[in-house]
Amino acid sequence: SRAENLVTLNDIAITRGSFPAGPDNTEQYLQALRSSAPRQMADLSLQHLQAEIAVAQAQSPPQKPVAVKNDVPRIYFSTRPAMLVQIDGTPVLRQVAGYSLLRIINTYALILLDESRGMYYLHAVGQWAQAQSLDGPWTPAAQQPASLNRILTTFTKSGQVNLLNDPSAYIAQSVDNGVFPTIYVSTVPAELVMTRGTPSYEPIPATSLLDIANTDDNIIVDPENSLQYVLISGRWFATQSLET
C-alpha cells in the first residue's frame, strides 16, 4: 500500500542458506528455519524494505553475462516438395557389420556410402535415393546394391534410425503423383521453408504487408523495403530474397 507506505509479504519461502560454522548441517538448519519461519509478514515499512533490498543487491557479486548463441541457421527455400536431413556436424562414417558399406552414424536418417561406386544412399518416403555427394542432387536409386534392403531390415528392427517414411501430406501426395522431393542434407543447424509452388501473395488487412498464403510456414513480405521475414522457432529472420 503506497498510500500507507506499508508492505505485506505472502508465501515466504527460504530457498537456500549458508552456515560457514556448520556447513555439514546446512540442510538440517534449513529445515528447522523453514518449519519455524512465518509464511506471512504484514505492515512492514516500504522504505525500510527497499533499503534492505538495495543493500543486499549491492553486496551480491555481479552476475556473469550468459552467452546466448544467436547464429542464424542455414535456411533452405523450396517452391517444390522438399525434405531436410540433418547431420550433427562433420559426417562420421562407420562400417556396417557384415557389409562393405559405410553408415553415417551422427544423423537420425539412414545414409549409407558405397565407396566402390562413389555413391551415397538415403532412405526416404519408402524408397532409396542416391547422390554422388551429400549436397546432392538426390534422385531415386535406379540400380542399388542388393545389400541396402538387408541393412534396412536390420536397422528397422533395431529402431536406431528414422526412415523418413512419414512425410507431410503435401509431400506424400507429390510422391504418389510421381514427384520425388528435393532433399537437402545439412551438417550445420538448418531449417526448411517451403511453398506449394510459386509464392502466392495476399495483403494483410490494415497493413502494407503481404502474406505468402501457399505455405505452412510464416512468411511476411514488406514491399516498402523489399524484405521478406520468416518466423522460425520463435525468431524472425529477414532476407532480401528467399532464394539466397
Side-chain angles (χ1 to χ4, degrees):
S1 173
R2 291 187 179 275
E4 299 179 0
N5 196 36
L6 294 176
V7 173
T8 297
L9 301 180
N10 294 303
D11 297 326
I12 298 173
I14 301 176
T15 58
R16 62 188 179 190
S18 175
F19 304 92
D24 295 337
N25 298 320
T26 295
E27 192 59 36
Q28 179 182 347
Y29 294 156
L30 282 175
Q31 290 179 1
L33 287 171
R34 286 166 180 158
S35 62
S36 60
R39 296 285 296 170
Q40 183 183 57
M41 297 179 67
D43 298 336
L44 301 175
S45 167
L46 173 60
Q47 292 179 345
H48 182 76
L49 182 61
Q50 289 175 329
E52 291 285 355
I53 293 175
V55 171
Q57 291 176 337
Q59 293 176 343
S60 299
Q63 297 293 323
K64 294 182 179 180
V66 178
V68 179
K69 191 172 183 180
N70 281 322
D71 297 343
V72 178
R74 177 178 293 173
I75 300 177
Y76 296 94
F77 173 70
S78 179
T79 58
R80 66 183 308 278
M83 300 179 69
L84 174 63
V85 176
Q86 189 79 54
I87 297 177
D88 187 13
T90 303
V92 179
L93 292 160
R94 293 288 186 274
Q95 185 169 354
V96 179
Y99 299 92
S100 61
L101 275 67
L102 303 176
R103 174 191 165 216
I104 298 180
I105 62 173
N106 53 330
T107 176
Y108 56 82
L110 181 55
I111 305 178
L112 303 171
L113 171 62
D114 185 342
E115 291 185 298
S116 64
R117 302 188 184 190
M119 192 72 69
Y120 287 93
Y121 295 94
L122 163 68
H123 190 274
V125 292
Q127 58 187 297
W128 288 100
Q130 65 181 29
Q132 294 181 329
S133 165
L134 290 174
D135 293 330
W138 291 88
T139 58
Q143 297 181 341
Q144 63 203 44
S147 58
L148 285 185
N149 286 329
R150 293 197 295 271
I151 295 174
L152 173 64
T153 300
T154 299
F155 283 103
T156 299
K157 291 181 179 178
S158 66
Q160 297 180 38
V161 294
N162 182 344
L163 300 179
L164 305 176
N165 284 337
D166 298 308
S168 67
Y170 170 56
I171 294 177
Q173 183 179 8
S174 299
V175 172
D176 291 340
N177 292 332
V179 179
F180 192 77
T182 299
I183 295 178
Y184 299 99
V185 176
S186 178
T187 58
V188 299
E191 297 286 346
L192 172 64
V193 176
M194 180 174 56
T195 58
R196 292 182 285 274
T198 303
S200 175
Y201 301 94
E202 292 184 357
I204 299 177
T207 73
S208 60
L209 304 177
L210 301 175
D211 174 49
I212 295 184
N214 58 333
T215 177
D216 294 328
D217 298 299
N218 294 296
I219 310 176
I220 303 296
V221 180
D222 187 351
E224 293 184 2
N225 57 21
S226 299
L227 284 178
Q228 305 186 56
Y229 298 89
V230 181
L231 180 63
I232 296 176
S233 299
R235 292 188 295 168
W236 286 98
F237 298 92
T239 180
Q240 291 285 347
S241 173
L242 290 171
E243 303 291 344
T244 57

